[in-house]
């Protein structure tokens, strides 16, 4: 398979990148200015032209939109959540996801069964809403909504879209107290992506295969 993964230089993205490489797949990992990875800052619209050029004429079987930020983890309602935090959160977690997908749509259409995986979060859920982290939650909810609507539009093109919660994972973002390792998360997510098809397009699933409440 030809796979593209954003944010492949560390965390969950890197674990997925390494797993696919180890399995013999052709993987283009993107990162911000890291040797060995295609340069892509998903918040810079001008960066997408070179991604399109790098993949020109190649079918992409699986696109994983993994790059993301959690900037308001410790913000307080009294004095946090400044406009810049909102703008940066949406630029990376929503606009960045959309522009990555839009750039690679011709490549996904060239595959026998193109698939798009959006790494959202359980924090996207309207059902599970404990408060706090407003910018992150809203941006991940928007990424979930984006995935659900793209699933409708892309079904006719034969492209399946899944939205995923990767677990609470021990990474720079998840912290040391998190529940699972990057290896556990990546292993579960790879199984989920293998299961994704037009029958399940639009799904919101956890890393270990449970349906998540929207
Ligand atoms: N860890 C968890 O418990 C958890 C839970 C739910 C959802 N998630 C989601 O899972 C995904 C991966 O999280 P993680 O825990 O692996 O996070 P991480 O360790 O903080 O890694 C984030 C990755 O995203 C990249 N990234 C951030 N902003 C970017 C930008 N503007 N352009 C390109 N790349 C950018 C980072 O690149 P740099 O090295 O250049 O910063 C890095 O590769 C994220 O979407 C996150 O929201 C994680």
């Amino acid at each position: 398979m030809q796979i593209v993964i954003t944010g492949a230089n560390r965390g969950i993205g890197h674990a997925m990148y390494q797993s696919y490489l180890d399995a013999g797949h052709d993987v283009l990992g993107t990162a911000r200015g890291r040797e060995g990875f295609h340069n892509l800052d998903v918040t810079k619209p001008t960066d997408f032209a070179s991604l399109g050029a790098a993949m020109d004429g190649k079918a992409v079987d699986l696109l994983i939109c993994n790059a993301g930020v959690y900037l308001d983890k410790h913000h307080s309602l009294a004095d946090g959540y400044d406009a810049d935090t909102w703008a940066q959160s949406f630029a990376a977690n929503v606009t960045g996801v959309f522009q990555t997908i839009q750039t690679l749509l011709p490549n996904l259409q060239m595959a026998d069964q193109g698939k798009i995986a959006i790494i959202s979060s359980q924090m996207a859920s309207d059902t599970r809403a404990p408060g706090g982290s407003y910018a992150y939650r809203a941006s991940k909810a928007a990424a979930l909504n984006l995935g659900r609507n793209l699933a409708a539009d892309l079904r006719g093109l034969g492209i399946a879209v899944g939205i995923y919660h990767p677990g609470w994972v021990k990474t720079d973002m998840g912290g040391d107290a998190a529940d699972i390792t990057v290896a556990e998360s990546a292993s579960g997510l790879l199984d989920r992506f293998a299961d994704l098809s037009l029958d399940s397009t639009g799904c919101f699933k956890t890393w270990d295969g449970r349906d998540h409440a929207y």
Side-chain angles (χ1 to χ4, degrees):
M1 281 198 297
Q2 172 69 61
I3 297 158
V4 176
I5 306 177
T6 63
N9 57 300
R10 62 186 170 99
I12 302 164
H14 189 260
M16 294 190 286
Y17 174 78
Q18 197 58 55
S19 299
Y20 280 124
L21 278 184
D22 292 347
H25 295 291
D26 198 349
V27 194
L28 181 89
T30 80
R32 295 188 280 192
R34 296 296 180 105
E35 204 179 331
F37 297 96
H38 179 88
N39 185 52
L40 175 67
D41 181 334
V42 298
T43 67
K44 287 193 178 153
T46 50
D47 276 7
F48 287 98
S50 77
L51 176 63
M55 297 310 295
D56 189 33
K58 288 187 194 168
V60 169
D61 300 287
L62 173 62
L63 166 62
I64 305 172
C65 296
N66 164 79
V69 290
Y70 183 177
L71 302 173
D72 56 350
K73 199 172 196 173
H74 302 296
H75 283 208
S76 95
L77 196 49
D79 60 5
Y81 307 106
D82 52 287
D84 197 41
T85 296
W86 281 92
Q88 286 182 45
S89 301
F90 272 72
N93 296 351
V94 189
T95 315
V97 170
F98 181 79
Q99 293 205 288
T100 306
I101 293 169
Q102 194 175 37
T103 299
L104 294 177
L105 260 187
N107 309 84
L108 288 154
Q109 277 184 258
M110 289 167 63
D112 286 340
Q113 163 68 92
K115 302 185 192 189
I116 299 168
I118 296 176
I119 306 301
S120 179
S121 169
Q122 64 183 357
M123 291 170 75
S125 173
D126 292 341
T127 308
R128 180 189 176 281
S133 301
Y134 295 100
Y136 182 73
R137 285 186 198 283
S139 67
K140 287 299 188 181
L144 168 60
N145 182 281
L146 173 61
R148 298 273 297 157
N149 282 286
L150 280 170
D153 276 341
L154 300 183
R155 175 189 286 280
L157 298 177
I159 299 169
V161 184
I163 306 102
Y164 300 93
H165 167 55
W168 184 23
V169 191
K170 296 181 204 296
T171 62
D172 293 338
M173 186 185 292
D176 293 338
D179 289 333
I180 58 171
T181 64
V182 288
E184 289 171 300
S185 176
S187 167
L189 288 170
L190 264 59
D191 287 345
R192 304 287 76 74
F193 306 157
D195 285 346
L196 177 62
S197 72
L198 290 176
D199 290 335
S200 56
T201 191
C203 63
F204 181 27
K205 288 210 175 268
T206 63
W207 66 286
D208 54 353
R210 288 169 289 130
D211 288 324
H212 204 295
Y214 297 105

